[in-house]
Structure formats: C-alpha cells, structure tokens
Amino acid sequence: MTRHFLRDDDLSPAEQAEVLDLAEKIKADRWGAKPLAGPQTVAVIFDKSSTRTRVSFAVGIADLGGSPLIISTANSQLGGKESPSDTARVLERQVAAIVWRTYAQSGLEQMAAGTRVPVVNALSDDFHPCQLLADLLTIREHKGRLAGLTLTFVGDGSDNMVHSYLLAGATAGMHVRLASPDEFSPIASVVADADRIAAETGGSITLFSDPNEAVAGADVVVTDTWVSMGKEEEKAHRVAVLGGYQVTTELMSLAKPDALFLHCLPADRGYEVAAEVIDGPQSVIWDEAENRLHAQKALLVWLLERAA
C-alpha cells in the first residue's frame, strides 16, 4: 500500500526509528542506495521560496539515481487552474514520487488522496516533518539517543515547526516543552495528538509561558523565526509580543551544560536568537542543515520500498 508523509505522526515510533536508522546508513555510504536508478523522476513542487529544501531534495534524488523535476506552481496549472488531486493523477503516471512545499495542509491531503505514488510534505503552514527527521537525526548523532531527552522550543508557538516538534518529539519518546505567549499558541488538536502519542512512548508534552522555566535542565533548545513567510506585515507586532522569548546566552545557561542549540534556518540574528548562541559552540545548525539531505533520502527510500 502506498504510504505518504504529510505530517510527523504518519510514521509510528518504530517506523520513525527505521527511517532514522536508514538515514545513518545512507549518510555513511552516500551513494550506496539507488532505488531511483533509470533514472526515475521525482516531482518537487514549490509554492514558496526555498534554499535548503530545494537543494537537499534535488541533490538527494540525484544521489538515489533519479532525476528531480523542479516545478513552480506560479508557472504550472496547479497555480490556480487545476486541483491538487487532478495534478496528482497526471503526475503519478510519470513520476516515482511527489514532493510539495506549499501553504495549506488540505492541499497536500487532496494531493495524496487516491494517489498511487508517495506524496511528501516538504513544508506546509501546519507542519514541517522533513525538517524534523533531520533535527532528530542531528540530536541522535550528538546525544546517542532520543527517548528520555528534554527538548524545549522557545518562541512562536503557532509555528509549523512547533507542531512538528510536538508530534515527532512525542513519537521519539522525548519530553517536549514549549515556551510561548498565549497569543501564539499551537493548534489544540495537534497538542492533543502529541499528548496521546507521548502517553504511549513515555514522552511528555508541557506548555509554558515562562521561557526560563521551560529551558531549565533541557538537553536541546530550539527556536525559529518570529516572522514566517507570508507574515511580514505582522513583524512589528510579533517582535513586540515575542521580544521576551529570544534565545540568549543567559537563557542557554539554564539548560544542561552540554545542551544543543538547533534552528531550521533562515535565522534572524538579534531577534529570535542572539548571534553568540547561533554561532556559538552549542549550536549544531550546520549539521542540522546537512542532515536534511540524508534524512530525506532515507524517507524516500523507505516510502518507495512500500510503494513497490
């Protein structure tokens, strides 16, 4: 049966571990897996601008023996004249998988419904699950494990990264903490889903308003931009509300001495994170960015095996 990856909990705890194990193997032997030899084509569709997603998927598909077909919705019928489901029915006869970086999660769900090839969420307004696979791989490389670790996200709690950290962290058996102002809270149903998963894996989900309390004793501290794409007009208001949630050296000092700092990038130094933190010795952002390549390759291999 064809499997899709539209949100982080599309993988069970055991399946998430399988993908991360495979990512480690692929990283150690970069050109060892060639499931797309032919070359087969993977459609990579962009509604939003991109650096890391575009590069890592294009390079990764080529590494797997395939050919990436980069499509901009602004220059395709998907940009307004054709539904996601109709586009998928055209593409599935010609490509091995579909990767889409888009806005509404509902579009991805329409794309995947009845589609015979895997559909991958390369970012939506609600989730960023491919980034989380890379982040978990990075944490596991540096800490040796995931289960039982405490990860704290500080900043905009309505961010798509927060929703993915809640679900993916719970799936990995981590203790996920979120520090954010009430105005920027996560989707309640996502918190409920994460709570349910955490109860099964031994993890936990805790929401805070005080970043100092949330970061105390954490193994990993994470943040993201306060002004995501499409929200530029809200910058002044967001900076005013989120100003007390900057990750500084003082805040990091409350975490464990060997705590890691992660950021999915791009970063606004001096806003959500101080320059001395993101450029400092606890930051693993460049490992994190590289691991997009290896984690996404593993995901594609895993999905293609189940679509065969």
Side-chain angles (χ1 to χ4, degrees):
M1 183 182 74
T2 302
R3 294 286 299 274
H4 306 292
F5 191 53
L6 308 186
R7 44 185 276 167
D8 306 80
D9 54 352
D10 283 340
L11 296 177
S12 70
E15 291 169 342
Q16 183 193 75
E18 284 180 19
V19 172
L20 294 176
D21 288 343
L22 183 56
E24 287 187 348
K25 293 177 182 177
I26 286 175
K27 186 172 182 176
D29 182 14
R30 179 168 169 177
W31 292 279
K34 297 289 184 182
L36 292 171
Q40 298 180 64
T41 300
V42 174
V44 189
I45 308 170
F46 289 93
D47 290 357
K48 297 184 176 185
S49 60
S50 170
T51 298
R52 278 151 294 279
T53 298
R54 184 183 297 268
V55 172
S56 57
F57 268 112
V59 172
I61 291 162
D63 283 358
L64 295 175
S67 176
L69 174 62
I70 307 298
I71 301 171
S72 167
T73 50
N75 299 314
S76 73
Q77 300 299 343
L78 184 58
K81 293 184 178 181
E82 189 168 63
S83 69
S85 56
D86 283 356
T87 296
R89 293 184 69 179
V90 172
L91 292 176
E92 70 179 2
R93 295 177 178 232
Q94 301 177 62
V95 304
I98 302 169
V99 178
W100 192 10
R101 180 179 174 94
T102 187
Y103 291 93
Q105 184 73 14
S106 59
L108 283 156
E109 293 167 356
Q110 292 172 35
M111 177 87 67
T115 305
R116 294 177 296 182
V117 299
V119 175
V120 174
N121 179 359
L123 179 143
S124 70
D125 287 344
D126 291 346
F127 303 102
H128 199 353
C130 288
Q131 179 68 56
L132 256 291
L133 288 177
D135 289 8
L136 294 180
L137 178 61
T138 305
I139 295 166
R140 200 166 79 160
E141 285 177 339
H142 285 269
K143 295 292 186 181
R145 63 188 177 95
L146 294 171
L149 295 180
T150 296
L151 180 149
T152 299
F153 186 102
V154 179
D156 178 4
S158 63
D159 187 80
N160 53 7
M161 285 295 295
V162 168
H163 298 140
S164 280
Y165 270 116
L166 291 170
L167 294 178
T171 300
M174 302 179 77
H175 302 293
V176 182
R177 301 174 181 173
L178 167 63
S180 66
D182 291 341
E183 182 176 342
F184 298 114
S185 298
I187 297 171
S189 62
V190 174
V191 176
D193 288 340
D195 274 328
R196 173 183 51 78
I197 295 168
E200 299 170 356
T201 62
S204 64
I205 305 297
T206 313
L207 307 184
F208 296 84
S209 58
D210 181 355
N212 295 327
E213 186 179 358
V215 169
D219 298 286
V220 184
V221 179
V222 191
T223 191
D224 191 14
T225 180
W226 291 343
V227 187
S228 299
M229 285 179 284
K231 298 179 179 178
E232 290 80 5
E233 293 182 358
E234 303 174 18
K235 182 173 182 176
H237 176 69
R238 285 177 161 270
V239 169
V241 175
L242 291 162
Y245 291 83
Q246 184 185 95
V247 179
T248 61
T249 53
E250 291 77 17
L251 188 64
M252 284 296 296
S253 71
L254 301 177
K256 290 182 179 177
D258 61 348
L260 304 175
F261 173 77
L262 276 71
H263 191 306
C264 66
L265 302 176
D268 291 321
R269 289 167 172 81
Y271 286 88
E272 73 271 10
V273 59
E276 56 265 33
V277 172
I278 196 169
D279 298 322
Q282 292 174 284
S283 175
V284 291
I285 61 169
W286 309 122
D287 293 343
E288 180 186 6
E290 177 192 340
N291 280 337
R292 288 290 300 277
L293 172 67
H294 311 301
Q296 289 162 187
K297 286 172 65 178
L299 175 68
L300 286 173
V301 170
W302 193 89
L303 291 171
L304 290 167
E305 286 176 348
R306 282 145 187 82

